[in-house]
Amino acid sequence: MNEPRVNDISVFDHPGPQLSEREVDEFLLRDYGLSSTLQPLVSERDQNFLVNAGGCEYVLKIANAAEDRTFLDLQNRLLAHIAEVDPGLGVPRLVPARDGRGIAEWNSVAGMHAVRLFDYLPGKLMSEVERTPEVLTGLGRLMGRISRATKGFGHPGTHREGFLWSLDNV
């Protein structure tokens, strides 16, 4: 599978979503029944928010309109697989929309966006943490658990050539 494209434009070159917080609030209420406060999060090609709704926190991911839906389905199913195989492993859980779908659709001037809501896992970015031997040992243990938990998982979107974030390309 190659890099996703819309009208021959790469997902990395296609304009990202730019929904206003008002639009996001309206869509969240409609599709998830949530009234919330939003905090924008950094993203490479999507639009993400930390959502606080009545004391519960979530991460809202609004995908670039050029993003391959198969790849998003792969992510959702992989997280669910890991959570089932190793329930104690800290992976975000997908929060389905009111209609039960794992991926909602929101329209904007940049196109139709796949939208997913996940529970929030507190913590720090690796880039913000001092790389001590203890931190690196913990990272190694975590990666080992993830590797074990993904054993036997398969999905059509797994093989994706030219994807910048693929560990196969490291």
Side-chain angles (χ1 to χ4, degrees):
M1 180 180 299
N2 292 325
E3 180 181 303
R5 303 180 89 73
V6 168
N7 297 329
D8 208 33
I9 299 174
S10 158
V11 68
F12 296 103
D13 297 324
H14 190 273
Q18 295 183 12
L19 282 82
S20 70
E21 288 189 21
R22 183 186 59 75
E23 290 173 301
V24 171
D25 279 335
E26 290 172 3
F27 285 135
L28 273 172
L29 186 58
R30 181 192 75 191
D31 290 341
Y32 294 94
L34 297 176
S35 294
S36 61
T37 58
L38 302 171
Q39 177 184 336
L41 298 173
V42 175
S43 180
E44 179 185 43
R45 62 186 183 273
D46 303 326
Q47 188 177 18
N48 300 324
F49 291 95
L50 176 61
V51 176
N52 187 316
C56 295
E57 292 182 308
Y58 306 93
V59 173
L60 177 69
K61 300 183 70 57
I62 306 168
N64 187 301
E67 188 62 71
D68 182 357
R69 298 310 194 261
T70 302
F71 187 59
L72 299 177
D73 183 64
L74 160 69
Q75 293 172 14
N76 291 353
R77 290 178 189 266
L78 181 58
L79 288 171
H81 177 84
I82 292 170
E84 183 177 317
V85 171
D86 188 348
L89 189 57
V91 294
R93 304 315 202 260
L94 181 67
V95 177
R98 290 171 122 172
D99 64 5
R101 291 182 300 158
I103 299 177
E105 296 282 332
W106 293 0
N107 201 12
S108 81
V109 294
M112 187 62 75
H113 305 283
V115 176
R116 299 171 300 153
L117 187 69
F118 294 94
D119 60 354
Y120 173 73
L121 297 178
K124 292 183 179 181
L125 296 174
M126 189 68 178
S127 61
E128 297 173 352
V129 177
E130 183 182 350
R131 290 186 172 93
T132 65
E134 295 80 18
V135 166
L136 295 176
T137 298
L139 178 61
R141 285 190 182 115
L142 173 67
M143 296 305 292
R145 283 182 73 185
I146 290 172
S147 180
R148 252 192 327 272
T150 59
K151 187 174 182 174
F153 176 79
H155 189 278
T158 302
H159 305 286
R160 187 174 181 184
E161 294 177 26
F163 183 62
L164 296 176
W165 291 100
S166 173
L167 294 179
D168 292 338
N169 296 328
V170 173

